[in-house]
Amino acid sequence: MTASMAASHSVGKIAKDVIFGASAACKEAVAKYGSEKVTNATIGAIMDDEGKLACIPVVEKVLRTLPINDLISYAPISGVPEYLDMTTELTFGDHRPDGYTAAVATAGGTGGIHHTIWNYTEVGDSVLTSDWFWGTYNMLCREVGRKLVTYPLFDEKQNFNITAFAQKVDELIAKQDSLLIIINTPAHNPTGYSLSDDDWTNVLDVCQKHAKTPGKKITIMVDIAYIDFAGEKNATRKFMEKFSNLPANILTVFTFSMSKGYTVYGQRCGSMIGLSSSKEVITEFADINKYTSRATWSNINHGAMALLVAINKDKTLQKEFESQRDALYQITRKRGAIFMDEAKTCGLNALPYKAGFFLSIPAKDSAAVCNKMHDDLIFGVPLKAGVRIAVCSVPTGKMNGMAQKVLNALNAV
Ligand code: PLP
């Protein structure tokens, strides 16, 4: 008998990190063949064209010159007020929806997802997301006694599968009074898909239909972790206007993250922004999420909040920062375009990538396909339904020819 000291709900918890496994195999190959021969498409962070972790230069400059007190002192539990105002403004750009809002600082985007699951669903509830999803959603749900269920993201024409979405919402709302729907857009991880304005209209129609039933509560969590690598600032935020004047039993939560947008992944700083037509719902949002913060991590990285404030309160610096970030976006865009163009030419069925850090190729036995790709020293991540390629981490030159090699691996297994 193996010994266990864990409480019954914690027995058997093991974080299966496929990404770590894939990147370990890649490191071995680098040691054997040299980094120039190896393509590492496993990392969820932007590597420059020399293969080094990219940092936006203004971020480094400001971070290194922040007053020591901003770095070491406690921050308010809810977050620095100026930071909260700025993250709200940055989230909406020119497309702020009508309604009441409040923001609470969180440990990256992950922290906001955690709070949303905990505070807006009942123990035992199912949480809905698409079948291609960031694996951490599942862990976040299970950790607090919720279950993640999915609908197929795409229909047979590779359009957003609104029919499947509607069916799943119908089914869940018949069984439970609170429903949390998680949608990661624009630039979805792992497919790179972005919901179109029409997709959003359809999603909101489904939610509004169910919100008419008394006693039902629907929370739509929009995970915008990759929004700053999805296109022009205001174009990518236009859909947000659609959340104006929804009924009081639909709450929208946007989870903002500095990880990608500021290239400060390890600084663990984000913000959750609640939007509702009801003032009471928003007061409650600020109160209960602050409480959960106090009871989870206390307060958030003060230096990272100060960094965001310092960059954005100086309009010249903000402009410089945005143009440097845009340069990184252009790099990811170019890498994605090379792969997708070549995929089209060689007949590889990649999912409809619009933008962002990742693209995916459906595969029945993704682990076998990834292993086969190792013959060409290409390392991707095997997901349940396919192979994820991190375009963010592959130097542009190495993107050439990759689609054909992935196709060869697919055909070989
Ligand atoms: N959402 C998605 C889909 C992600 O892929 C990530 C990071 O990988 C996050 C949210 C949040 O990351 P962080 O907690 O570092 O902000």
Side-chain angles (χ1 to χ4, degrees), residues 19 44-45 106-113 133-137 140 182-185 187-190 221 223-226 255-260 264-271 357-358 388:
I19 298 172
T106 56
T110 308
I113 303 165
F133 66 89
W134 184 43
T136 307
Y137 292 156
L140 285 161
I182 299 180
I183 300 186
N184 173 212
T185 189
H188 173 252
N189 174 8
M221 200 205 86
D223 180 350
I224 54 167
Y226 297 95
T255 50
F256 171 97
S257 167
M258 286 181 71
S259 297
K260 289 63 174 167
V264 289
Y265 316 87
Q267 292 292 310
R268 312 304 312 134
C269 199
S271 172
F357 279 31
F358 309 105
R388 189 186 82 171

